[in-house]
């Protein structure tokens, strides 16, 4: 198959891997490498029904679970999410009342923090239970389903955020086209994906937590993501290679998958 990011037909198998984190399937998956943009992707690409079976019932983060490790992780995430809030605030031009949509928002912890900072927020997530928790714990509205299914009116939002979303979708160009449609003129997109050019991937390879085989159907290099954004009509303004919320936990989960607090 052609590369789903840059559409280049010159791809070749790079390595194989299995579901190490949740063991939802015993199947072995092949990841192809694109010779142009250097992304990795599952080939053959699973269908939507098969992909749905790769996710445990509660794949989203639930701060309400019990356990010492869960409590420590919850505290760490709240501290680390301040960095997300700072980044988004900068993207919003430090203006209150800005309309923000968080795609794949889970139980709404980030949206709750953004709401406290004076932003008008809304989320989208596949999990009805996550949407319920977001409403109960943070007082934010979450539309259940995909971004396309939400069918927001055009030019609805000043900022759209997609933290760890793009690696899960088989149609990245369609997703970004929809984001472009619902953004107001001059609106901003903020997204984050695992970087296969990172030192962690170089060390752990197929066992790197950031690959999360088979739930991550596309794994991006920096050049692949920048090309995808440019092709979709966006002009990248700021790129960061380190994130407090994810770098350290990804290292721990790569070393000790059974300790991952989401599992």
């Amino acid at each position: 198959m052609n590369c789903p990011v840059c559409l280049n037909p010159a791809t070749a198998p790079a390595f194989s891997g299995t579901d190490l984190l949740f063991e939802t399937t015993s199947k072995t998956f092949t990841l192809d490498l694109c010779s142009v943009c250097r992304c990795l992707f599952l080939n053959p690409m699973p269908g939507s029904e098969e992909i749905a079976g790769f996710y445990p019932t509660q794949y989203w983060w639930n701060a309400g679970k019990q356990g010492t490790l869960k409590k420590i992780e919850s505290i760490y995430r709240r501290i680390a999410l301040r960095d997300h809030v700072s980044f988004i605030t900068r993207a919003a031009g430090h203006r209150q009342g800005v309309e923000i949509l968080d795609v794949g928002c889970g139980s709404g912890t980030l949206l709750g923090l953004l709401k406290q900072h004076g932003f008008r927020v809304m989320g989208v997530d596949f999990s009805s239970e996550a949407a319920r928790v977001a409403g109960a714990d943070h007082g934010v509205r979450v539309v259940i389903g995909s971004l396309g299914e939400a069918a927001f009116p055009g030019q609805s939002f000043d900022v759209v955020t997609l933290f760890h979303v793009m690696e899960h979708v088989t149609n990245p160009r369609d997703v970004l086209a929809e984001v472009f449609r619902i953004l107001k003129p001059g609106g901003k997109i903020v997204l984050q994906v695992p970087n296969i050019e990172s030192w962690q991937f170089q060390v752990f390879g197929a066992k790197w937590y950031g690959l999360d085989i088979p739930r991550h159907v596309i794994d991006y290099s920096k050049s692949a993501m920048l090309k995808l954004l440019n092709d979709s009509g966006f002009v990248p303004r700021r790129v960061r290679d380190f994130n407090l919320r994810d770098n350290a936990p990804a290292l721990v989960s790569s070393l000790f998958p059974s300790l991952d607090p989401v599992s």
Side-chain angles (χ1 to χ4, degrees):
M1 61 178 283
N2 290 358
C3 171
V5 176
C6 71
L7 310 181
N8 163 50
T11 66
F15 58 85
S16 299
T18 58
D19 185 353
L20 298 176
L21 187 56
F22 295 106
E23 300 179 343
T24 58
T25 174
S26 59
K27 183 178 178 180
T28 298
F29 298 85
T30 298
L31 285 85
D32 277 14
L33 175 68
C34 174
S35 63
V36 175
C37 72
R38 311 301 294 176
C39 79
L40 290 166
F41 59 93
L42 298 186
N43 189 11
M45 188 68 74
S48 57
E49 290 188 7
E50 185 179 7
I51 290 174
F54 299 152
Y55 290 85
T57 303
Q58 196 173 75
Y59 183 73
W60 50 277
W61 168 258
N62 183 359
K65 280 187 177 180
Q66 300 299 313
T68 302
L69 184 61
K70 194 72 177 184
K71 291 179 181 178
I72 294 173
E73 177 73 1
S74 181
I75 294 171
Y76 179 86
R77 279 177 174 255
R78 285 187 170 275
I79 294 173
L81 279 176
R82 294 176 185 173
D83 186 55
H84 277 32
V85 172
S86 176
F87 197 99
I88 295 168
T89 299
R90 180 172 175 176
H94 299 275
R95 295 176 292 125
Q96 290 193 340
V98 165
E99 300 267 5
I100 296 178
L101 175 69
D102 186 25
V103 181
C105 65
S107 56
T109 304
L110 175 60
L111 287 176
L113 292 173
L114 291 169
K115 182 180 177 182
Q116 292 174 14
H117 281 73
F119 295 111
R120 300 172 64 184
V121 300
M122 183 179 295
V124 175
D125 200 275
F126 280 105
S127 172
S128 58
E129 176 63 13
R132 184 195 66 78
V133 173
D137 291 357
H138 306 290
V140 299
R141 181 191 170 203
V142 175
V143 177
I144 301 170
S146 68
L147 177 61
E149 291 168 341
F152 295 110
Q155 301 184 6
S156 296
F157 301 98
D158 299 286
V159 178
V160 175
T161 63
L162 302 98
F163 290 100
H164 292 288
V165 171
M166 297 302 293
E167 63 267 31
H168 294 271
V169 302
T170 61
N171 57 338
R173 289 174 173 264
D174 293 343
V175 172
L176 291 186
E178 179 65 6
V179 173
F180 194 92
R181 185 187 71 82
I182 64 176
L183 276 173
K184 297 177 183 179
K188 305 290 180 60
I189 179 175
V190 177
L191 62 80
Q192 180 184 27
V193 295
N195 179 8
I196 59 172
E197 295 172 333
S198 68
W199 69 264
Q200 288 193 25
F201 175 63
Q202 303 306 315
V203 171
F204 293 106
K207 294 184 178 181
W208 181 43
Y209 176 78
L211 290 182
D212 196 12
I213 300 170
R215 283 158 293 279
H216 291 184
V217 295
I218 303 175
D219 302 291
Y220 296 89
S221 64
K222 184 187 296 186
S223 58
M225 178 52 68
L226 291 176
K227 176 173 176 52
L228 181 62
L229 287 168
N230 278 302
D231 288 353
S232 302
F234 296 99
V235 180
R237 300 292 188 189
R238 188 181 178 197
V239 179
R240 287 179 54 181
D241 295 317
F242 177 82
N243 177 260
L244 182 61
R245 195 198 77 171
D246 296 292
N247 285 67
L251 175 60
V252 174
S253 293
S254 296
L255 291 168
F256 310 105
S258 64
L259 293 181
D260 187 82
V262 178
S263 59

